[in-house]
């Protein structure tokens, strides 16, 4: 099951498809041809490839009603060797369906994942390779200008997500602060959702730095009030989640990336306690987690 942050990023890209083109052009590439419309297409390529091999997002750039480029977008939060086989399938399926050029665009807020994803995917001797276009923290703009953030709040959110764990905590906090102020100016549920996206992506140091900002800023949004109130509870949940993983690994049981994400994403203390009790004697991680 996709994580909260993964799904959040995918939703932003689907709802604001021009963001992807903007990010690609910001890195200085001229790979995007002239187009007059952009379409959010089905990520399920149907009969072209198996249904379970659905990309995160597929966009088509059109000119005069004809497809000129298909962008296969993948949000990647961790290194996954299986993607070296599924990504070529996505691009081949999109090329077969839409009969136009295809680009694989990998978006990740993690520097190690970005370095891994940049490697060309070789098909075999003399068979060529697929070169992913990667947008990682190095390619994501560091938005600290309030005007720019207010004009493009979704880009500001992506900037905060990409730089929330940067070693330069002062700069990471400034980016998050700028994004949050732009988010607070939005109406409806979007403000709460974007706040949650940013908060979920921040490192602990940046979170603490934000909490130390003046009160009139800290409490102007109910999401931030809630985050501060829940901070201790989240810390306890994280501790129990890590203890559960240690227990599994101490018993020699393999914790898959999906199981690790499920455990770390659980904030229910009672559920975590129940899992810990069951993990003491279970034969597998799946038996405990019900998967």
């Amino acid at each position: 099951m996709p994580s909260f942050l993964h799904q959040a990023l995918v939703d932003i890209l689907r709802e604001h498809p021009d963001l992807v083109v903007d990010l690609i052009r910001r890195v200085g590439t001229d790979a995007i041809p002239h187009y007059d419309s952009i379409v959010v297409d089905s990520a399920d390529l149907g009969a072209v490839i198996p249904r379970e091999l659905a990309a995160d997002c597929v966009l088509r750039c059109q000119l005069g009603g004809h497809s000129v480029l298909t962008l296969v977008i993948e949000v990647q939060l961790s290194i996954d060797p299986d993607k070296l086989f599924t990504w070529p399938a996505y691009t081949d399926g999109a090329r077969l369906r839409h009969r136009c050029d295809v680009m694989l665009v990998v978006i990740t807020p993690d520097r190690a994942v970005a370095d891994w994803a940049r490697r060309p995917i070789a098909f075999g001797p003399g068979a060529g390779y697929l070169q992913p276009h990667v947008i990682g923290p190095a390619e994501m703009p560091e938005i600290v200008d309030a005007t720019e953030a207010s004009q493009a709040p979704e880009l500001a959110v992506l900037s905060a997500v990409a730089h929330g764990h940067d070693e330069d905590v002062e700069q990471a906090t400034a980016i998050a602060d700028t994004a949050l102020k732009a988010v607070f100016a939005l109406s409806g549920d979007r403000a709460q959702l974007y706040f949650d996206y940013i908060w979920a992506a921040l490192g602990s140091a940046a979170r603490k730095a934000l909490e130390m900002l003046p009160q009139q800023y800290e409490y102007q949004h109910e999401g931030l009030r809630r985050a501060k109130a829940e901070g201790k509870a989240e810390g306890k949940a994280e501790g129990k989640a890590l203890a559960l993983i240690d227990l599994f690994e101490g018993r020699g049981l393999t914790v898959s990336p999906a199981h690790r994400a499920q455990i770390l994403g659980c904030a229910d203390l009672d559920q975590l306690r129940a899992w810990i009790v069951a993990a003491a004697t279970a034969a597998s991680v799946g038996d405990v987690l019900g998967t």
Side-chain angles (χ1 to χ4, degrees):
M1 179 179 294
S3 70
F4 168 74
L5 183 57
H6 177 278
Q7 192 58 49
L9 294 175
V10 171
D11 289 344
I12 287 179
L13 298 174
R14 285 176 179 166
E15 293 169 11
H16 303 275
D18 285 318
L19 260 180
V20 178
V21 175
D22 179 38
L23 288 169
I24 294 172
R25 286 176 170 166
R26 281 173 179 260
V27 301
T29 179
D30 57 359
I32 304 295
H34 176 66
Y35 68 95
D36 54 27
S37 65
I38 188 165
V39 178
V40 180
D41 211 338
S42 171
D44 177 5
L45 295 172
V48 179
I49 60 174
R51 182 174 295 274
E52 60 270 18
L53 296 183
D56 286 332
C57 182
V58 176
L59 308 176
R60 275 187 299 116
C61 298
Q62 297 183 315
L63 182 62
H66 298 285
S67 298
V68 294
L69 178 67
T70 297
L71 300 171
V72 176
I73 315 298
E74 281 285 283
V75 173
Q76 199 66 29
L77 302 184
S78 62
I79 294 173
D80 182 357
D82 284 345
K83 295 295 186 177
L84 303 182
F85 300 94
T86 57
W87 283 345
Y90 298 165
T91 56
D92 286 347
R95 187 169 182 268
L96 179 60
R97 167 173 281 187
H98 301 299
R99 307 287 172 163
C100 67
D101 290 343
V102 177
M103 282 180 63
L104 170 65
V105 182
V106 180
I107 298 179
T108 177
D110 187 282
R111 294 182 186 278
V113 175
D115 291 341
W116 165 78
R118 285 192 184 94
R119 302 172 187 172
I121 302 173
F123 296 139
Y129 61 90
L130 172 65
Q131 179 62 65
H133 292 256
V134 179
I135 300 174
E139 292 75 26
M140 192 69 69
E142 299 182 8
I143 298 180
V144 292
D145 180 77
T147 301
E148 183 180 8
S150 64
Q151 292 174 345
E154 284 77 22
L155 182 59
V157 171
L158 293 182
S159 177
V161 169
H163 298 290
H165 280 81
D166 283 2
E167 292 183 3
D168 187 341
V169 176
E170 183 177 352
Q171 178 71 350
T173 303
I175 295 169
D177 179 43
T178 302
L180 286 171
K181 287 175 178 174
V183 164
F184 293 160
L186 300 175
S187 60
D189 294 337
R190 198 162 51 137
Q192 179 66 62
L193 287 172
Y194 287 177
F195 169 84
D196 289 341
Y197 298 167
I198 295 170
W199 198 258
L202 290 178
S204 58
R207 285 191 187 184
K208 290 178 181 177
L210 278 175
E211 290 173 350
M212 294 174 64
L213 293 176
Q215 276 197 346
Q216 60 266 26
Y217 166 65
E218 181 180 348
Y219 291 103
Q220 66 178 291
H221 190 275
E222 70 171 316
L224 195 50
R225 291 200 305 269
R226 185 186 64 208
K228 189 173 182 67
E230 293 178 353
K232 292 184 178 180
E234 289 176 354
K236 290 181 180 179
E238 182 180 12
K240 288 190 177 298
L242 292 173
L244 175 59
I245 292 172
D246 288 343
L247 176 57
F248 280 134
E249 293 178 343
R251 294 191 57 226
L253 301 178
T254 300
V255 182
S256 70
H259 285 148
R260 182 178 295 271
Q262 182 182 355
I263 294 169
L264 293 175
C266 180
D268 187 332
L269 292 173
D270 289 336
Q271 179 64 78
L272 288 166
R273 290 190 190 98
W275 283 344
I276 289 173
V277 171
T281 57
S284 70
V285 176
D287 289 343
V288 175
L289 303 182
T291 59

